[in-house]
Coordinates of all heavy atoms in Angstrom, one line a residue:
L1 N 194.6 22.3 156.0 CA 195.7 23.0 156.7 C 195.7 22.7 158.2 O 194.7 22.8 158.8 CB 195.5 24.5 156.4 CG 195.7 25.0 155.0 CD1 195.0 26.4 154.8 CD2 197.1 25.0 154.6
P2 N 196.8 22.3 158.7 CA 196.9 22.1 160.1 C 196.7 23.4 160.9 O 197.1 24.5 160.5 CB 198.3 21.5 160.4 CG 199.1 21.9 159.2 CD 198.1 22.1 158.0
M3 N 196.1 23.3 162.1 CA 195.9 24.4 163.0 C 196.7 24.2 164.3 O 196.7 23.1 164.8 CB 194.4 24.6 163.3 CG 193.5 24.9 162.1 SD 191.8 25.0 162.5 CE 191.8 26.6 163.3
Y4 N 197.3 25.2 164.8 CA 198.1 25.1 166.0 C 197.6 26.1 167.0 O 197.0 27.1 166.7 CB 199.6 25.4 165.7 CG 200.2 24.5 164.6 CD1 200.2 24.9 163.3 CD2 200.7 23.2 164.9 CE1 200.7 24.0 162.3 CE2 201.2 22.4 163.9 CZ 201.2 22.8 162.6 OH 201.7 22.0 161.6
E5 N 197.9 25.8 168.3 CA 197.5 26.7 169.4 C 198.3 28.0 169.3 O 199.5 27.9 169.1 CB 197.7 25.9 170.7 CG 197.2 26.7 171.9 CD 197.3 26.0 173.2 OE1 197.9 24.8 173.1 OE2 196.9 26.5 174.2
L6 N 197.7 29.1 169.6 CA 198.3 30.4 169.6 C 198.8 30.6 171.0 O 198.1 30.4 172.0 CB 197.3 31.5 169.2 CG 197.9 32.9 169.1 CD1 198.9 33.0 168.0 CD2 196.7 33.9 168.9
A7 N 200.1 31.1 171.1 CA 200.6 31.4 172.4 C 199.8 32.5 173.1 O 199.2 33.4 172.5 CB 202.1 32.0 172.2
D8 N 199.7 32.3 174.4 CA 198.9 33.2 175.3 C 199.3 34.7 175.1 O 198.5 35.6 175.3 CB 199.0 32.8 176.7 CG 198.3 31.5 177.0 OD1 197.4 31.1 176.1 OD2 198.6 30.8 178.0
S9 N 200.6 34.9 174.8 CA 201.1 36.3 174.7 C 200.7 37.0 173.4 O 200.8 38.2 173.3 CB 202.6 36.3 174.9 OG 203.2 35.5 173.8
K10 N 200.2 36.2 172.5 CA 199.9 36.8 171.1 C 198.5 37.3 171.1 O 197.5 36.7 171.7 CB 200.1 35.7 170.1 CG 201.5 35.2 169.8 CD 202.3 36.3 169.2 CE 203.7 35.7 168.7 NZ 203.5 34.8 167.6
L11 N 198.3 38.4 170.5 CA 196.9 39.0 170.3 C 196.1 39.1 171.6 O 195.0 38.5 171.7 CB 196.2 38.2 169.2 CG 196.8 38.2 167.8 CD1 196.0 37.2 166.9 CD2 196.9 39.6 167.2
P12 N 196.6 39.9 172.6 CA 195.9 40.0 173.8 C 194.5 40.6 173.6 O 193.5 40.3 174.3 CB 196.7 40.9 174.7 CG 197.6 41.6 173.7 CD 197.9 40.7 172.6
E13 N 194.3 41.5 172.6 CA 193.0 41.9 172.2 C 192.5 41.0 171.2 O 193.3 40.5 170.3 CB 193.1 43.3 171.6 CG 193.5 44.4 172.6 CD 193.4 45.8 171.9 OE1 194.4 46.2 171.3 OE2 192.4 46.4 171.9
K14 N 191.2 40.6 171.2 CA 190.7 39.7 170.2 C 190.9 40.3 168.8 O 190.5 41.5 168.5 CB 189.2 39.5 170.4 CG 188.9 38.7 171.7 CD 187.4 38.5 171.9 CE 187.1 37.7 173.1 NZ 185.7 37.4 173.3
G15 N 191.5 39.6 167.9 CA 191.8 40.1 166.6 C 192.5 39.1 165.8 O 192.7 37.9 166.1
T16 N 193.0 39.5 164.6 CA 193.7 38.7 163.6 C 195.0 39.4 163.1 O 195.0 40.6 163.0 CB 192.8 38.4 162.5 OG1 191.6 37.7 162.9 CG2 193.5 37.5 161.4
R17 N 196.0 38.5 162.9 CA 197.3 39.0 162.3 C 197.6 38.1 161.2 O 197.7 36.9 161.3 CB 198.4 39.1 163.3 CG 199.7 39.7 162.9 CD 200.7 39.7 164.0 NE 201.9 40.4 163.6 CZ 203.0 40.0 163.0 NH1 203.0 38.7 162.6 NH2 204.0 40.7 162.7
I18 N 197.9 38.7 160.0 CA 198.3 37.9 158.8 C 199.6 38.5 158.3 O 199.7 39.7 158.1 CB 197.2 38.0 157.7 CG1 195.9 37.5 158.1 CG2 197.7 37.3 156.4 CD1 194.8 37.8 157.1
E19 N 200.6 37.6 158.3 CA 201.9 38.1 157.8 C 202.3 37.2 156.5 O 202.1 36.0 156.6 CB 203.0 37.9 158.8 CG 204.4 38.4 158.4 CD 205.3 38.7 159.6 OE1 204.9 38.4 160.7 OE2 206.3 39.3 159.4
I20 N 202.7 37.9 155.5 CA 203.0 37.2 154.2 C 204.4 37.5 153.8 O 204.9 38.6 153.8 CB 202.0 37.7 153.1 CG1 200.5 37.5 153.5 CG2 202.3 37.0 151.8 CD1 199.5 38.1 152.6
Y21 N 205.1 36.4 153.5 CA 206.5 36.4 153.1 C 206.6 36.0 151.6 O 205.6 35.6 151.0 CB 207.4 35.5 154.0 CG 207.5 36.0 155.4 CD1 206.6 35.4 156.4 CD2 208.3 37.0 155.8 CE1 206.7 35.8 157.7 CE2 208.4 37.4 157.1 CZ 207.6 36.8 158.1 OH 207.7 37.2 159.4
Q22 N 207.9 35.9 151.1 CA 208.1 35.5 149.7 C 207.1 36.2 148.8 O 206.3 35.5 148.1 CB 208.1 34.0 149.6 CG 209.2 33.3 150.4 CD 209.3 31.8 150.0 OE1 209.0 31.5 148.8 NE2 209.9 31.0 150.8
L23 N 207.1 37.5 148.8 CA 206.2 38.3 148.0 C 206.4 38.1 146.5 O 207.5 37.9 146.1 CB 206.3 39.8 148.3 CG 206.1 40.2 149.8 CD1 206.3 41.7 149.9 CD2 204.7 39.8 150.3
N24 N 205.3 38.1 145.8 CA 205.4 38.0 144.3 C 206.1 39.2 143.8 O 206.1 40.3 144.4 CB 204.0 37.8 143.7 CG 203.4 36.5 144.2 OD1 204.0 35.5 144.3 ND2 202.1 36.6 144.4
D25 N 206.7 39.1 142.6 CA 207.5 40.2 142.0 C 206.7 41.5 141.8 O 207.2 42.6 142.1 CB 208.1 39.7 140.6 CG 209.2 38.7 140.8 OD1 209.7 38.6 141.9 OD2 209.4 38.0 139.8
E26 N 205.4 41.3 141.3 CA 204.6 42.5 141.2 C 204.4 43.3 142.5 O 204.4 44.5 142.5 CB 203.2 42.1 140.6 CG 202.2 43.2 140.5 CD 200.8 42.7 140.5 OE1 200.6 41.5 140.4 OE2 199.9 43.6 140.7
V27 N 204.2 42.5 143.5 CA 204.0 43.1 144.9 C 205.2 43.8 145.4 O 205.2 44.9 145.9 CB 203.5 42.0 145.8 CG1 203.3 42.5 147.2 CG2 202.2 41.3 145.3
K28 N 206.4 43.1 145.2 CA 207.6 43.8 145.6 C 207.8 45.1 144.9 O 208.2 46.1 145.6 CB 208.8 42.9 145.3 CG 208.9 41.6 146.1 CD 210.1 40.8 145.6 CE 210.2 39.5 146.4 NZ 211.4 38.6 145.9
S29 N 207.6 45.1 143.6 CA 207.7 46.4 142.9 C 206.8 47.4 143.4 O 207.2 48.6 143.5 CB 207.5 46.1 141.4 OG 207.6 47.2 140.6
S30 N 205.6 47.1 143.6 CA 204.6 48.1 144.1 C 205.0 48.6 145.5 O 204.9 49.8 145.8 CB 203.2 47.5 144.2 OG 202.8 47.2 142.9
F31 N 205.4 47.7 146.4 CA 205.7 48.1 147.8 C 207.0 48.9 147.9 O 207.2 49.5 148.9 CB 205.8 46.8 148.6 CG 204.5 46.2 149.0 CD1 203.3 46.7 148.5 CD2 204.5 45.0 149.8 CE1 202.1 46.1 148.8 CE2 203.2 44.4 150.1 CZ 202.1 45.0 149.6
L32 N 207.8 48.9 146.8 CA 209.0 49.7 146.8 C 208.7 51.1 146.2 O 209.6 52.0 146.3 CB 210.1 49.1 145.9 CG 210.9 47.9 146.5 CD1 211.7 47.2 145.5 CD2 211.8 48.5 147.6

């Protein structure tokens, strides 16, 4: 997987952010 530089404005506190799109059908149903 390619890695890219994170913008300086992102995550000013040391940490991690994971965002997931195109959720699977089971997940959509549960999240509703």
Side-chain angles (χ1 to χ4, degrees):
L1 294 161
M3 301 178 69
Y4 302 95
E5 185 178 1
L6 183 66
D8 291 340
S9 59
K10 295 287 190 72
L11 301 175
E13 295 183 270
K14 292 181 179 180
T16 300
R17 185 179 190 273
I18 301 173
E19 186 160 8
I20 303 172
Y21 296 98
Q22 295 195 25
L23 301 179
N24 296 324
D25 290 341
E26 172 205 352
V27 178
K28 290 179 183 177
S29 177
S30 297
F31 285 3
L32 281 167

